[in-house]
Amino acid sequence: MKLSRNTRGISIILLLVVLTLLVAVLSMNVGKMNLSPLEVFKVIIGEGTSKQNLIVFDFRLPRIVLSILVGIGMGISGCIMQSLLKNDMASPGTLGISSGSGLFVLMYITLFASEGLLSPILLPGLAFAGGLTAAFLIFMFAFRRGRDISPTGLILTGVAMGSGYSALSLMLTLRLDKQQYDFALRWQAGDLWGDDWRYIMVLLPWVLIICFYVFYRSNTLNTLNLGNQTASGLGVAIKREFIGLTIAAVALASGSVALGGNFFFVGMVSPHLARKLVGPNHKLLLPTTALVGALVILIADTLTRTISFGADIPTGIIITILVTPYFLYLLSKAS
């Protein structure tokens, strides 16, 4: 039974990889300027025209790669938080971590934004500092001496703190000029603005290194799911692992938020869908969550570039429309 379940999980992961590649190829073909699959293939093998090369390598491919990286980052971050807190509603958005990262990014835009070479490096770093600060404050306010932290209390504290961060972000937004204001508004709605190879080359190792660490600790996550007492009896250093995995989750969410905006639902819904597909084993759950998150953002972004909505709609709005019914379903199951 265990072997067949693992085999089924691996088959689903491979199917998701193929599906992601197919959607990525489709995304390269469609848009305001359609390219046929043959034209895209010619570009890939180096036989495309200068115009086709520009469309694929400078416009579409960076956006596709960014969609995948942001989906992976938000999905795995949400999976870690749900596993650590044993709460299906936990995510970077509900805990206020995304709002904290966003506040620091807006501070950078308002006070320190420049076109210098350090910008791609500073943004994820500042977002991480904001997310880490938010996480520290949330855990500090939710902490009660002599008692375990309540996941529900933690989420309620995160929601309250997130509202405070949003208010501060609004105050900063009102100080921006028109161009900065438009950028901030779209960023808060979930806009994949960092589709530039300079930014992607910073986010790529950031996501890959942290994901490697999280996958390496998948057995630890499985053990923590058994409960703190059982995990402690099996030799797991609970506090150390909790802190390390929390920092990894904050770092993934912050890097994704910095370059892709606040994709609130992806971090919460992706682990649920993945868990239904492969079960609770994190060796299968983590890569499945990553692929589901990547697929959700990639499909939504392809729709925004393909379908005319009468305006340039941020990808996050399409994702909200697509996954809200499932979110309501989760709420009805939790009540």
Side-chain angles (χ1 to χ4, degrees):
M1 178 68 70
K2 183 177 179 181
L3 181 61
S4 62
R5 186 179 301 164
N6 288 340
T7 303
R8 177 177 177 272
I10 293 171
S11 299
I12 289 174
I13 291 172
L14 292 175
L15 180 62
L16 288 172
V17 169
V18 172
L19 187 58
T20 303
L21 291 175
L22 289 175
V23 175
V25 171
L26 176 64
S27 187
M28 280 191 279
N29 292 334
V30 299
K32 294 179 180 178
M33 299 182 188
N34 287 336
L35 295 176
S36 68
L38 180 60
E39 288 173 329
V40 172
F41 178 73
K42 286 182 178 180
V43 170
I44 293 174
I45 63 175
E47 296 182 2
T49 65
S50 58
K51 180 181 177 181
Q52 292 168 348
N53 288 335
L54 181 68
I55 293 172
V56 172
F57 289 121
D58 290 358
F59 295 136
R60 293 186 183 168
L61 191 57
R63 196 169 180 90
I64 290 168
V65 174
L66 180 62
S67 298
I68 292 172
L69 290 176
V70 170
I72 291 172
M74 292 300 291
I76 291 184
S77 178
C79 184
I80 295 170
M81 292 178 182
Q82 289 179 11
S83 297
L84 290 180
L85 299 178
K86 301 176 182 63
N87 191 300
D88 291 344
M89 295 293 111
S91 75
T94 53
L95 289 176
I97 292 169
S98 296
S99 298
S101 298
L103 176 61
F104 273 54
V105 171
L106 279 178
M107 288 172 61
Y108 172 79
I109 295 170
T110 307
L111 304 173
F112 307 110
S114 67
E115 296 298 324
L117 294 176
L118 288 178
S119 296
I121 299 174
L122 278 177
L123 273 171
L126 284 172
F128 175 57
L132 205 58
T133 301
F136 174 77
L137 290 174
I138 291 164
F139 278 98
M140 184 181 72
F141 285 121
F143 177 75
R144 297 292 182 271
R145 184 179 296 274
R147 287 189 292 173
D148 291 336
I149 294 177
S150 167
T152 303
L154 198 63
I155 290 177
L156 291 175
T157 304
V159 170
M161 294 293 293
S163 299
Y165 296 136
S166 298
L168 291 173
S169 297
L170 180 60
M171 290 175 59
L172 287 175
T173 302
L174 295 175
R175 297 181 52 187
L176 302 176
D177 59 36
K178 186 179 185 306
Q179 183 178 0
Q180 291 175 328
Y181 178 81
D182 290 342
F183 170 81
L185 195 63
R186 294 182 62 81
W187 176 87
Q188 289 174 332
D191 186 32
L192 292 164
W193 72 273
D195 54 347
D196 185 297
W197 288 116
R198 293 180 305 155
Y199 295 100
I200 292 171
M201 287 302 104
V202 173
L203 184 62
L204 180 63
W206 180 289
V207 170
L208 290 181
I209 291 171
I210 298 171
C211 284
F212 178 80
Y213 165 75
V214 175
F215 291 149
Y216 179 70
R217 309 307 296 174
S218 58
N219 280 333
T220 300
L221 284 167
N222 285 336
T223 307
L224 289 172
N225 267 351
L226 300 174
N228 290 347
Q229 290 185 344
T230 303
S232 179
L234 293 173
V236 175
I238 294 175
K239 288 185 178 180
R240 186 184 69 193
E241 297 293 350
F242 188 92
I243 292 172
L245 288 166
T246 299
I247 291 174
V250 171
L252 284 171
S254 300
S256 302
V257 164
L259 301 182
N262 189 3
F263 290 94
F264 167 73
F265 283 110
V266 175
M268 184 171 63
V269 174
S270 297
H272 284 276
L273 294 172
R275 205 172 283 114
K276 287 183 177 298
L277 290 173
V278 299
N281 182 1
H282 284 81
K283 287 186 176 181
L284 299 172
L285 179 62
L286 288 169
T288 305
T289 300
L291 289 167
V292 170
L295 263 175
V296 168
I297 296 184
L298 191 55
I299 291 171
D301 186 59
T302 303
L303 289 175
T304 60
R305 293 191 296 103
T306 305
I307 302 174
S308 176
F309 294 97
D312 189 9
I313 303 296
T315 305
I317 293 178
I318 302 300
I319 291 176
T320 302
I321 294 171
L322 291 176
V323 304
T324 293
Y326 187 72
F327 176 66
L328 294 175
Y329 166 75
L330 291 178
L331 286 177
S332 67
K333 294 286 286 184
S335 61

